[in-house]
Amino acid sequence: MDTPWQHTTVLLNEAVDALFTKPDGTYVDATFGRGGHSRLILSRLGPRGRLVAFDKDPDAISEASRITDARFSIRHQGFRDLGELPARSASGLLMDIGVSSPQIDNPARGFSFRNDGPLDMRMDTTRGESVAQWLATAEQQQIAEVIRDYGEERFAVQIAKALVARRQERGPLATTADLAQLVAGAVKTREPGQDPATRTFQALRIFINAELEELQQALEASLDILEPQGRLVVISFHSLEDRIVKQFIAQHSREVFDRRAPFAAPKAMKLKALDRIKPPAAEIAANPRSRSAIMRVAERTDA
Ligand SMILES: C[S@@+](CC[C@H](N)C(=O)[O-])C[C@H]1O[C@@H](n2cnc3c(N)ncnc32)[C@H](O)[C@@H]1O
């Protein structure tokens, strides 16, 4: 069954071109979403090629179950578990991280301050705590740290104070509209063109889904599962994520010398940075949600 919420794949051809090196390889799409990248990969795969996809979101999993191609399999798992795949088995790993448009647009998922809905924001609605549950008991200081660190919000302390005061006076927040209204009252200066709740919603989403930790774990696992010359392709949508990807590639793109053994051969570098691509103007015009995307491409270099 088609859902009313569609996802327009970002950097579709660019990502698959960068990922795909041979038709009979095994590829991993760590973020299936609505399968835009996966379907293009499948169309290029040879008969012995394989595509293994992951997603946390049950709606993404039901979309994936419509694909009947025997070369394809889907796992309802976070990409922090990528390391469960066999070592050096993947010719390419694609991660198109963040939220999909159906997650943002469906009010029942509680990701958006534009549509009123339950304050949830979990990508995997089958486990874990919703934002409403977490905010009902979290310490003021922890709320402030999350909003400051993951939302880069100057008014994090004021927002956390207002949240705790409201919780004590009238009970916990239940809906996205409740949160958006509370934040609007606590943020004193507004950034032009941005809703005052943008940063707080981003922060709570990143926190409740452990997005940055999972990204770091998946990147570490990529060094186990990629075969030599295998490709790592990561599309990210904000600077906190892109910084992690950039630093990871840079850290593994250097030869490592052991200072205690100055004459020993250096340890080989593991990755070589190949490319950094942003969506072309025409794509941004057609799909404004692609405007903040940055895609980084690296190749596994050690044997
Ligand atoms: C931007 S969408 C991917 C869109 C997809 N490339 C397409 O073309 O349809 C991101 C997807 O990644 C999933 N996701 C985000 N974090 C994840 C994680 N840690 N583990 C597994 N899936 C994750 C989300 O549920 C969402 O479906």
Side-chain angles (χ1 to χ4, degrees):
M1 195 186 66
D2 277 336
T3 64
W5 297 285
Q6 307 297 326
H7 181 81
T8 305
T9 299
V10 173
L11 290 167
L12 173 61
N13 287 298
E14 292 86 343
V16 177
D17 288 347
L19 182 78
F20 202 83
T21 51
K22 53 183 186 193
D24 287 334
T26 293
Y27 295 88
V28 181
D29 179 353
T31 49
F32 178 84
R34 287 301 177 273
H37 289 112
S38 275
R39 286 189 176 84
L40 186 58
I41 296 168
L42 282 171
S43 75
R44 295 197 189 173
L45 270 187
R48 290 189 296 131
R50 294 285 176 271
L51 174 61
V52 182
F54 285 67
D55 209 294
K56 275 181 157 182
D57 186 328
D59 294 341
I61 302 303
S62 40
E63 174 67 23
S65 66
R66 291 160 32 122
I67 299 181
T68 51
D69 191 319
R71 300 167 303 172
F72 174 76
S73 58
I74 181 79
R75 293 174 174 229
H76 184 200
Q77 260 179 309
F79 52 57
R80 61 156 36 118
D81 296 332
L82 280 176
E84 290 179 7
L85 298 176
R88 290 165 190 256
S89 62
S91 309
L93 164 63
L94 171 66
M95 301 174 72
D96 174 17
I97 49 189
V99 277
S100 64
S101 295
Q103 287 168 335
I104 302 174
D105 296 339
N106 178 355
R109 302 300 301 269
F111 280 97
S112 173
F113 46 81
R114 294 211 169 83
N115 314 310
D116 192 18
L119 188 55
D120 192 329
M121 296 199 215
R122 283 170 301 163
M123 288 183 185
D124 187 349
T125 45
T126 66
R127 65 194 96 188
E129 256 185 344
S130 68
V131 167
Q133 286 168 328
W134 182 71
L135 284 176
T137 56
E139 300 279 335
Q140 182 176 311
Q141 193 187 337
Q142 200 192 359
I143 299 173
E145 281 171 11
V146 165
I147 297 174
R148 186 195 61 207
D149 295 349
Y150 297 148
E152 297 171 312
E153 169 61 70
R154 281 191 296 144
F155 297 100
V157 170
Q158 289 87 332
I159 295 168
K161 260 193 194 158
L163 274 163
V164 171
R166 139 88 209 223
R167 185 169 89 186
Q168 283 161 354
E169 284 157 23
R170 288 190 283 144
L173 298 177
T175 68
T176 53
D178 285 345
L179 178 60
Q181 204 184 6
L182 181 137
V183 173
V187 168
K188 297 298 172 214
T189 50
R190 302 192 173 203
E191 293 168 64
Q194 195 183 70
D195 189 286
T198 306
R199 290 174 177 276
T200 300
F201 272 69
Q202 172 191 300
L204 292 169
R205 190 201 92 206
I206 291 175
F207 171 75
I208 215 72
N209 293 293
E211 289 181 33
L212 304 184
E213 292 82 357
E214 287 228 7
L215 173 60
Q216 189 69 45
Q217 285 170 309
L219 292 171
E220 302 289 344
S222 74
L223 295 177
D224 296 326
I225 65 164
L226 281 175
E227 62 185 18
Q229 270 97 54
R231 296 282 174 85
L232 173 66
V233 180
V234 188
I235 304 171
S236 59
F237 290 83
H238 59 74
S239 57
L240 292 174
E241 293 165 343
D242 183 55
R243 196 176 310 149
I244 291 174
V245 180
K246 181 176 156 186
Q247 284 176 354
F248 178 80
I249 294 174
Q251 178 197 347
H252 292 285
S253 303
R254 283 190 292 265
E255 291 186 323
V256 180
F257 291 89
D258 184 347
R259 289 207 200 120
R260 292 157 306 176
F263 302 110
K267 278 197 202 140
M269 61 194 211
K270 294 183 174 169
L271 291 173
K272 183 169 133 200
L274 295 186
D275 222 340
R276 174 184 177 279
I277 293 174
K278 295 178 128 198
E283 179 170 353
I284 297 174
N287 177 18
R289 283 181 180 165
S290 69
R291 67 187 176 281
S292 52
I294 297 183
M295 179 174 98
R296 293 188 186 268
V297 184
E299 184 178 78
R300 176 91 199 238
T301 48
D302 57 333

